[in-house]
Amino acid sequence: MAVSPSTGGEGAAPGSQTLLRGLAILEAVAGGARDLAALSAALGTTRSTTHRLAAALVEQRYLTFAPREGYGLGPKLLELGFRAQQEAPVTRVARPHLERLSADCGDTIHLGVLEGDWALYLDKLPGRRRIEISSRVGERQPVWSTGLGKALILDLDEARWRGFHRLGDARGGHSPDLETWLSRMRAYAARGIAYDREENEPEVRCIAGPIRDASGAIVAAFSVTSTVQYMDEARMEELAGTVREVARAISRDLGWSG
């Protein structure tokens, strides 16, 4: 994760500049920086300034520090992240529905929203399979190749779809050619569900449904994810009706009457 050396801006007030530099330290540590040299390089500040800021963050539990290991993200961020997750209306409303779905199907469940050009994971319910899906809450995933991402853009026009496909090509995605991808998106939009057939990660498949608010707009989506071993074509089709039903139920709880 790159952090701009000019964090804070030349015209920023001293207090706001300190705040922005502190936030930049958190981002740098999240991106893998562990020692003062790496943090100073990321921020473009002196070692003494960096040490002072990092020490304050350690004192307030936003960072941890261990000799020979360096800096790490602290427990205060876990607390804040958990609170933010719980306060998100769609997360709170969707959670009981997704827990029941997880208990019924045994697969990994993701909940996410559109953030710019990416799908941002707000929640994850690990499955009961003897596999581990390498994803985490707060992670951003491609829209153009994930089932959840495609479910988030089902209502967009084809011009926007083409834009997302171009992003996938530019960023080294594994999506099929444009016409094949558009044909699939039209079918997904007609059915109200979307699929990922190993487009985002080899051997991993998912089926996803859009979540709507009272206005009828898609505000989130969820996916049921597993490996090919447990998610062949027949099972994906079998899950389609269930995913649509759960998506409708969550949407109704958010005020949708469609």
Side-chain angles (χ1 to χ4, degrees):
M1 179 183 297
V3 180
S4 172
S6 59
T7 300
E10 294 180 1
S16 63
Q17 187 179 63
T18 299
L19 172 62
L20 292 172
R21 283 176 172 170
L23 294 174
I25 286 181
L26 295 178
E27 292 185 7
V29 172
R34 290 292 179 263
D35 56 28
L36 281 178
L39 290 175
S40 295
L43 270 68
T45 53
T46 64
R47 287 175 66 94
S48 60
T49 297
T50 305
H51 180 267
R52 175 173 53 80
L53 292 169
L57 291 169
V58 170
E59 182 180 354
Q60 296 299 317
R61 301 170 58 241
Y62 288 96
L63 290 180
T64 61
F65 179 78
R68 295 185 297 278
E69 293 181 10
Y71 294 97
L73 297 179
K76 190 68 175 180
L77 294 175
L78 291 174
E79 295 172 17
L80 295 177
F82 178 77
R83 290 181 187 177
Q85 178 188 11
Q86 295 304 307
E87 289 177 7
V90 69
T91 304
R92 186 172 63 250
V93 171
R95 183 74 188 210
H97 294 276
L98 299 184
E99 286 177 345
R100 288 191 290 271
L101 176 59
S102 177
D104 289 342
C105 71
D107 301 301
T108 298
I109 310 292
H110 295 106
L111 174 72
V113 295
L114 190 64
E115 185 184 65
D117 297 331
W118 299 86
L120 173 68
Y121 287 163
L122 296 182
D123 203 0
K124 176 183 178 181
L125 287 74
R128 299 191 306 273
R129 310 287 186 191
R130 291 187 297 176
I131 58 172
E132 181 178 354
I133 303 297
S134 58
S135 57
R136 64 183 185 277
V137 172
E139 184 176 63
R140 297 193 306 169
Q141 288 287 339
V143 166
W144 49 90
S145 59
T146 58
L148 190 149
K150 283 176 275 191
L152 287 168
I153 62 171
L154 288 181
D155 284 355
L156 299 184
D157 58 35
E158 291 202 10
R160 294 288 304 280
W161 287 352
R162 289 171 181 271
F164 278 108
H165 189 274
R166 282 196 298 272
L167 285 172
D169 286 343
R171 292 168 177 169
H174 299 92
S175 294
D177 65 87
L178 176 61
E179 289 308 315
T180 299
W181 191 79
L182 288 176
S183 176
R184 291 179 183 178
M185 287 298 298
R186 295 183 197 112
Y188 297 158
R191 298 187 65 187
I193 51 176
Y195 294 94
D196 169 8
R197 291 184 169 90
E198 303 177 66
E199 295 161 62
N200 193 55
E201 188 176 345
E203 301 297 315
V204 176
R205 292 180 173 182
C206 79
I207 177 171
I211 297 172
R212 301 177 184 275
D213 66 5
S215 72
I218 295 176
V219 294
F222 71 92
S223 63
V224 180
T225 305
S226 194
T227 59
V228 176
Q229 176 184 359
Y230 301 104
M231 193 73 78
D232 59 16
E233 289 295 323
R235 185 155 187 269
M236 292 181 82
E237 287 304 312
E238 179 184 320
L239 282 169
T242 300
V243 168
R244 275 194 295 265
E245 288 175 11
V246 173
R248 284 195 292 264
I250 298 172
S251 299
R252 283 196 296 269
D253 283 356
L254 286 173
W256 182 58
S257 59

